Amino acid sequence: MLQLAWSFLYWYLRPLIKWFLRRTTKLCELQRICYGVPSGAQRTLEVEFSLENSRCAEIKRLISDLNQASESNKLDANGRSIIHYAVYTVCRVKCIDLHIHSQFTKSFGACVQQIWGYRQLLQEVENLRKTSYDSTNPNHEEKLLLLWSLLKPDEQLEARISKQWQEIGFQGDDPTTDFRGMGLLGLENLIFFAREYPKAARHVLSHSRHPNYGFVYAIVGINITSMAYYLLRNGTAKTHVYNACNGIPSLKLFHIMYSYLFFEFDKFWINEKPKNVMQFSIVREKYEKGLKDSLADPKTILRLNFHVDEI
Amino acid sequence: MGLLSILRKLRSSPDKELRLLLLGLDNAGKTTLLKKLASEDVTHITPTQGFNIKSVQSEGFKLNVWDIGGQRKIRPYWRNYFENTDVLIYVIDSADRKRMEETSVELMDLLMEVKLSGVPLLVYANKQDLLNAAPASEIATSLGLLTLKDRVWQIQACSATSGEGVKDGMEWVCKNVKTKKK
């Protein structure tokens, strides 16, 4: 309640505070952030907040232009010119001298790149997710078979429809229906983890066959895709992404984040010593809560630390 | 906590809590149905490992709906959730004719369970939006529902993704619990 009242008050007081600080420091809010706050998520999040809450019509237009560019995946091809456009617009509107404040233009440009790079990544991820797995598409089928050969290099898949799929944790004889709402994103995530970190992936797969703490590898993997997707979509993952990538984050960054989440979840699951697989939703919630808590600290970066015991 | 939510709580103190159990094979649409009942987005579903639970208000009842994963490996755990079930809701993928036999066997096993004896049964013939979906009457026959004598039952055609038919099924649930338990 108190917090609500404060945010209400702040909303009205903010322009006044900004005006006062501008007079006394001779710097606009964006400059104060770029000069005063250490680079990384902390600075970028503050810049984002400042831009999103701007009441200036030109800044608002700039934001909607940038949103459009990131949604149509234009940030890679002519990313530079869009960043310049953002920097020049802000400097013009806020009467900032480009030569005196060259440090500002650099840091601010980097923030813009991160903020809208993130939104572009979200769009990319969303597109993949929306693509349903289609068993009549040879491209999709090839990917599915690739997943098998990555996880089970020594075992031949006897038929496309086979009980063997259950060994890597699909529900039935045909994985097609298991991707559901996560679509190709789920498959691409599973493939990336198995291809880039084969030891870690097989380590997790072997845990999934544990007599007491076993789980269903692919299904849990698809649930982790859902977790990673939501963290990205609701903005919780910003801390990590802004800290981990200086420029425009690529899909690879998302895949790496997924690999981290999957590997760490496996560790967490074993440590929890669940009674049986029915504990999954409870353990998953607990794991997600811990993640959210650590991502609330703007210094957090999720570091891959694949420690696999060699036998 | 806001004033509004306190008011809301005072007003809708429900007469009775019901425990509904959602079962069925994997990919039948249990979680989608659960989310639809709770008016949530149904486009991001993943296969259920373990279970989901949600509470929904309907016709003066507080429905606690338990959605248990349908994968063969976890079917043995279904029995842990039987106790105090008010209505059993069995969900069927009407378009999956290849597994009609399998789903029928699972249902028959459930109906033999002592803890579920006499519990009203609602069968959702789901995925009616798909072209090759079997009609509800055909499913009722292949499940052998017509010979069922020990409980009240109902089959309801529905599409959990569009929501069509879902409400009719829930109305049946609320009515039949009322008559049974005064």
Side-chain angles (χ1 to χ4, degrees), chain A residues 129 177-178 181 216 223 230 281, chain B residues 27 44-47 49 51 71:
Chain A
R129 186 194 68 77
T177 56
D178 285 343
V216 209
N223 275 283
Y230 276 108
S281 359
Chain B
N27 201 38
H44 305 139
I45 309 273
T46 52
Q49 177 81 297
F51 65 93
Q71 190 199 349

Side-chain angles (χ1 to χ4, degrees), chain A residues 235-247:
Chain A
T236 315
K238 275 179 187 170
T239 332
H240 166 69
V241 176
Y242 290 164
N243 282 330
C245 175
N246 272 323

Side-chain angles (χ1 to χ4, degrees), chain A residues 49-84:
Chain A
F49 179 81
S50 168
L51 285 173
E52 288 290 349
N53 286 288
S54 173
R55 296 179 204 190
C56 159
E58 276 186 87
I59 302 279
K60 279 188 175 166
R61 192 165 345 114
L62 168 71
I63 289 173
S64 98
D65 286 348
L66 288 171
N67 280 345
Q68 222 165 15
S70 62
E71 272 157 31
S72 47
N73 210 3
K74 280 197 187 127
L75 244 51
D76 249 354
N78 52 1
R80 282 267 137 235
S81 66
I82 283 172
I83 309 301
H84 284 167

